[in-house]
Amino acid sequence: MGDDYVEVTELTDIYNGRSSATPPPQRSNALSNKVTGVLSTSFADADISEALRILDGRNVQNSPAARRNLRLNTQEDVIHYNGNIVKDFGYVAEQLKRIGSTIATLNRSCGDMRQHVAAAHQETGPMLEEGTILLSQKHEVETRKQLLEAFKKHFIIPEEDLIVLTSLTGTVDERFFAILGRLKRIHKDCHILLGTENQQLGLDLMEQSSRTLNGAFQKLYRWIQKEFKTLNLENPQIHSSIHRALRVLAERPSLFQNCLDYFSEAREHTLSESFYSALTGTSTDDDGDTTTKPIDFYAHDPLRYVGDMFAWIHSATVSEREALDVLFVSKGNEIAKGIQTTTKDEPWPKEDSAEFDGTRALEQLVNRDLAGVTRALRQRVEQVIQSHEDPVLAYKIANLIDFYRITFMRLLGAESSVLEAFSGLNESALRQYRKTTRDLVTALNFETLIPPVDLRIPEFLDEALGRLKAIMKSYDASLTPASTREASFTPILADALEPFLEGCETIIKDFEEPSKSIFTINCMIAVRLTLSLHDFTRDYIVGLDEKVEENASTLIEYQHAFFLHTSGLHPLLVALNELADTEEGIKSIPKLETFQKQALTDASQTLDDFLPTALIDAMENLKRLRNSRLAEDITAEAASRFCNDFEYIEGRITAADELGEADEVCEEDAPRSWQDTSLSLKAVFPRTSGEIRVLLS
């Protein structure tokens, strides 16, 4: 164990770099320190572990000699390794020297090359700069060339294309429109050139393009005028070039308006010729249409004559509008878009410029086309109106004109000049209607007329009702709105009827009842029967019914008076009405002269003679009343009133008898003893109200 301790100690000393050959000054202390160091050494120490690993790798035999020579062997190895390192570094140093000489040689070569390069650069510098400038100039020239080619391609139009645009002998085809579209784009793009530093080019191009555009639009304008001369609107297949030309020309509103003026004048002349040909069968060119019947020769009736003329104009207007709609408005309303585009492109647009309305412009164009026809129509219709004195005909013509006025309002709008002409004709016809009606009334001279003997309606009223019936039938077929039909017809009804009703009142004013009321009722019933055929006379019928009721009340009063006077009750009723409604008044009834026995007996006899034929006699008074049902109602009402009067008389007589029986002493001046039942008022006047109602029912 002691040997092992020594070996470990030596090994540790060798590892720590100390030799055991020299004995320590103090053996005991050294040994103690070594032992302590060995014991305090931890095998977990990295240095110890590494030393042991290296020692293990050397395969050292654990022997005393190996342990003694371990330090020497280790130092020997270290010296050997160091020698190898020194040898290697010597080789490296030699190589470094060789490299240093090589680098020095290279530096000398580089220096020489720098001198040669600097000299060459000094010699070639001006040439390189000149070459760079030339290349830059070449690139700039090529760029300018491309720019010039692009500019010429976009802004310059070939001479042959300019000839197509401006030559008046050329045609307007797809090529013309394509070149014109390109020219308009060039003119628009010239505004971009005006924003550059050199504005002269833009100004020159704009001036040139403006002249060319004006020439192109002039050519287009003349071409359209030429096409309009041979244009047939009745042909449903209108050439598409016309549509496109009009749309393009709309970009020049002045030329477009001139074109429309020319077109409207041509169409006005054409339609006037067609209207004249339709009227007479010939034309100013002696080339009339022999397949149609002339209106002047075949329309003998004035109303049909006027109606045929209006029907022709309506048909022509519809055809004209449809053709012009196809020509100017359809195709997506392109003409309006062209005008609006021009307005937007103006540098100083007008503030009051309204948006183009294609429909309104179409209506105005149709109005201008129909101006000549309207003048001819107005002359002929005025001639027809003034040459006839029939009020019914005048009104039918006025109603016919109003029908077409409403129809044309829907077709051409409310501001149409054609409507103004129609309104004037309508007013003229109504004036003629009122004039002829007044002439008829004046010619009758009601002061010299008398009613018929049978009190039927007079002949003039019957004729007036016949005319009114025809007028109402014509008005019923009109296009007057339902909300205003009655109000619109009231003036017509007043003109057609009121003067004749006033005439009936004039001729009957000197007659007595019941003739006066019977005649009036007969007239009112006849008028009511005529007016009841239509529903737009309801308010007027209400007024007639009120007049009938008023005159019926008068007849009831007359029949009532007839019953009272014929039956003999009138004196009794008058005497009783003069008495006060008191007991004293009732007691004084027997003292009245009309209630004396003889007088009362005569009244009773008269009543008995009247009752069997009372209704027949009363109906005889109303036999000239044309409404038998009304006569029966009047008589029945009068009979009912008569029965009420009889009940009143009967009640007074009964009351007087009852009071007479209650008196114990009769008055001294009483001529009869009425208290006796056989001599009572009821005994002398025995009829009862029940009997009277049965006999008069």
Side-chain angles (χ1 to χ4, degrees):
M1 183 176 179
D3 294 336
D4 294 336
Y5 177 78
V6 174
E7 291 177 358
V8 172
T9 301
E10 291 177 354
L11 181 61
T12 302
D13 291 339
I14 292 172
Y15 181 79
N16 290 331
R18 293 188 303 266
S19 176
S20 58
T22 304
Q26 294 180 356
R27 181 70 177 176
S28 61
N29 291 337
L31 182 61
S32 176
N33 290 336
K34 287 183 180 181
V35 172
T36 301
V38 171
L39 294 176
S40 61
T41 300
S42 174
F43 288 97
D45 190 355
D47 295 337
I48 296 300
S49 299
E50 182 66 17
L52 293 176
R53 184 182 65 79
I54 294 173
L55 183 63
D56 184 64
R58 293 176 64 89
N59 296 321
V60 178
Q61 297 295 324
N62 190 5
S63 62
R67 287 194 296 270
R68 286 190 299 269
N69 296 326
L70 178 61
R71 184 182 184 93
L72 295 176
N73 293 334
T74 301
Q75 290 178 348
E76 182 183 1
D77 291 339
V78 170
I79 292 170
H80 175 73
Y81 291 144
N82 289 337
N84 290 335
I85 291 173
V86 170
K87 183 179 179 179
D88 293 336
F89 271 103
Y91 177 75
V92 170
E94 184 180 355
Q95 294 296 325
L96 289 176
K97 289 179 181 180
R98 190 178 299 170
I99 291 173
S101 61
T102 303
I103 290 174
T105 303
L106 290 175
N107 287 334
R108 288 193 300 272
S109 299
C110 287
D112 296 339
M113 291 179 65
R114 286 192 189 94
Q115 292 177 358
H116 291 297
V117 169
H121 182 70
Q122 186 175 1
E123 294 177 358
T124 60
M127 291 186 291
L128 290 176
E129 291 179 0
E130 184 178 358
T132 302
I133 294 173
L134 291 176
L135 289 175
S136 176
Q137 291 177 350
K138 178 183 177 182
H139 178 71
E140 183 178 356
V141 169
E142 291 178 352
T143 303
R144 289 188 176 187
K145 180 180 178 181
Q146 294 176 358
L147 181 61
L148 179 60
E149 291 177 354
F151 180 85
K152 291 175 61 178
K153 183 178 180 181
H154 184 79
F155 285 96
I156 304 300
I157 295 179
E159 187 65 25
E160 58 272 14
D161 291 346
L162 294 177
I163 295 175
V164 171
L165 282 180
T166 57
S167 176
L168 298 179
T169 58
T171 60
V172 175
D173 50 12
E174 290 295 328
R175 184 184 177 188
F176 174 86
F177 290 115
I179 298 173
L180 181 61
R182 181 187 173 189
L183 182 60
K184 288 190 292 184
R185 289 192 299 271
I186 291 174
H187 184 76
K188 183 178 181 181
D189 293 342
C190 285
H191 293 85
I192 301 175
L193 297 179
L194 296 178
T196 61
E197 295 181 358
N198 186 8
Q199 298 181 355
Q200 187 61 40
L201 179 60
L203 292 173
D204 294 341
L205 286 175
M206 181 170 288
E207 181 181 0
Q208 181 181 358
S209 61
S210 297
R211 287 198 303 268
T212 307
L213 277 176
N214 291 334
F217 278 110
Q218 287 292 334
K219 176 182 177 179
L220 185 63
Y221 169 68
R222 290 183 173 85
W223 182 82
I224 292 177
Q225 284 187 327
K226 179 181 177 182
E227 290 294 319
F228 277 163
K229 292 180 181 179
T230 59
L231 182 63
N232 182 15
L233 291 181
E234 285 72 20
N235 183 10
Q237 301 296 332
I238 300 177
H239 199 274
S240 60
S241 297
I242 295 292
H243 295 289
R244 188 169 184 180
L246 288 172
R247 182 191 66 79
V248 174
L249 190 64
E251 298 177 9
R252 290 290 188 272
S254 59
L255 294 179
F256 183 74
Q257 186 61 45
N258 293 336
C259 188
L260 291 184
D261 294 339
Y262 177 84
F263 176 78
S264 61
E265 292 176 1
R267 290 303 301 167
E268 179 182 355
H269 178 74
T270 302
L271 291 176
S272 298
E273 288 291 328
S274 300
F275 184 56
Y276 181 79
S277 177
L279 290 175
T280 62
T282 60
S283 65
T284 57
D285 299 332
D286 295 331
D287 188 19
D289 186 4
T290 59
T291 61
T292 59
K293 298 179 180 180
I295 298 176
D296 286 347
F297 300 152
Y298 289 92
H300 303 291
D301 179 61
L303 184 63
R304 179 185 173 184
Y305 178 66
V306 174
D308 288 349
M309 287 191 293
F310 274 99
W312 187 94
I313 292 179
H314 177 261
S315 176
T317 303
V318 172
S319 301
E320 188 78 4
R321 180 183 173 87
E322 290 177 353
L324 296 185
D325 181 75
V326 172
L327 189 60
F328 292 101
V329 178
S330 61
K331 301 285 185 181
N333 205 10
E334 295 178 349
I335 293 179
K337 295 178 180 178
I339 295 178
Q340 292 172 3
T341 301
T342 304
T343 304
K344 293 178 181 178
D345 292 341
E346 291 180 354
W348 298 283
K350 299 179 180 179
E351 296 181 357
D352 57 346
S353 59
E355 184 177 353
F356 179 79
D357 188 350
T359 303
R360 184 179 178 184
L362 174 63
E363 293 173 353
Q364 293 176 352
L365 184 59
V366 175
N367 286 329
R368 296 169 61 183
D369 295 350
L370 296 175
V373 177
T374 304
R375 288 193 297 269
L377 173 72
R378 185 164 190 167
Q379 294 174 357
R380 290 179 176 266
V381 175
E382 285 280 5
Q383 183 179 1
V384 172
I385 292 173
Q386 299 300 329
S387 62
H388 293 82
E389 299 295 330
D390 184 5
V392 175
L393 176 62
Y395 179 77
K396 287 184 177 180
I397 292 176
N399 200 33
L400 177 66
I401 295 173
D402 189 66
F403 169 82
Y404 278 102
R405 182 186 65 81
I406 297 175
T407 303
F408 272 75
M409 182 184 298
R410 299 171 180 173
L411 188 62
L412 300 180
E415 299 179 357
S416 172
S417 58
V418 177
L419 295 183
E420 296 179 1
F422 287 4
S423 298
L425 290 175
N426 180 263
E427 293 174 0
S428 177
L430 290 178
R431 283 196 302 270
Q432 182 69 7
Y433 160 72
R434 298 187 184 96
K435 176 181 176 297
T436 53
T437 302
R438 287 194 301 268
D439 293 343
L440 288 176
V441 174
T442 304
L444 288 173
N445 193 8
F446 296 119
E447 298 293 339
T448 62
L449 298 178
I450 59 174
V453 177
D454 57 355
L455 299 181
R456 68 178 184 274
I457 63 173
E459 184 177 356
F460 67 82
L461 181 61
D462 190 26
E463 293 175 355
L465 291 179
R467 291 191 294 269
L468 180 60
K469 187 180 296 183
I471 289 173
M472 290 192 298
K473 183 178 179 181
S474 176
Y475 182 79
D476 192 34
S478 66
L479 297 179
T480 306
S483 59
T484 61
R485 286 177 70 84
E486 191 163 355
S488 300
F489 188 70
T490 299
I492 305 298
L493 183 59
D495 293 334
L497 191 58
E498 289 295 338
F500 300 98
L501 292 181
E502 293 174 359
C504 292
E505 295 177 359
T506 301
I507 66 176
I508 200 65
K509 64 181 179 179
D510 296 330
F511 276 60
E512 301 293 335
E513 296 294 347
S515 298
K516 186 175 182 179
S517 295
I518 290 175
F519 179 75
T520 303
I521 291 176
N522 286 339
C523 294
M524 296 300 158
I525 290 177
V527 173
R528 190 188 191 284
L529 183 62
T530 302
L531 296 181
S532 62
L533 299 176
H534 303 279
D535 59 352
F536 47 82
T537 58
R538 288 192 295 265
D539 290 345
Y540 199 88
I541 290 176
V542 172
L544 294 177
D545 291 340
E546 292 176 355
K547 292 182 179 180
V548 170
E549 292 177 1
E550 180 181 348
N551 287 274
S553 299
T554 302
L555 290 179
I556 291 173
E557 293 294 338
Y558 177 82
Q559 290 289 72
H560 180 217
F562 170 77
F563 280 125
L564 291 177
H565 287 85
T566 309
S567 64
L569 294 184
H570 184 263
L572 301 178
L573 187 61
V574 172
L576 290 176
N577 287 335
E578 294 177 353
L579 298 177
D581 191 12
T582 61
E583 185 176 343
E584 293 299 328
I586 294 175
K587 287 181 179 181
S588 64
I589 292 177
K591 301 176 183 180
L592 298 175
E593 182 179 355
T594 54
F595 282 89
Q596 298 302 310
K597 181 177 181 181
Q598 185 60 42
L600 196 59
T601 301
D602 293 341
S604 178
Q605 184 62 41
T606 301
L607 178 62
D608 290 341
D609 294 339
F610 163 75
L611 288 175
T613 60
L615 290 178
I616 297 175
D617 295 339
M619 289 296 294
E620 186 68 18
N621 296 332
L622 304 181
K623 66 180 180 179
R624 292 177 293 181
L625 188 61
R626 295 300 174 180
N627 192 329
S628 59
R629 177 64 179 272
L630 180 59
E632 293 175 359
D633 293 341
I634 291 173
T635 303
E637 179 63 25
S640 177
R641 294 185 182 183
F642 175 76
C643 293
N644 293 335
D645 293 338
F646 186 84
E647 287 182 0
Y648 175 72
I649 295 173
E650 181 186 15
R652 288 292 188 238
I653 291 175
T654 302
D657 288 343
E658 291 176 353
L659 289 176
E661 293 175 359
D663 290 341
E664 296 179 353
V665 180
C666 297
E667 296 182 2
E668 295 179 354
D669 56 350
R672 294 288 186 272
S673 179
W674 289 104
Q675 287 75 15
D676 187 357
T677 305
S678 62
L679 298 176
S680 65
L681 295 177
K682 189 63 177 174
V684 179
F685 198 79
R687 287 289 185 181
T688 63
S689 60
E691 295 172 348
I692 297 299
R693 289 189 181 278
V694 171
L695 291 173
L696 295 180
S697 62

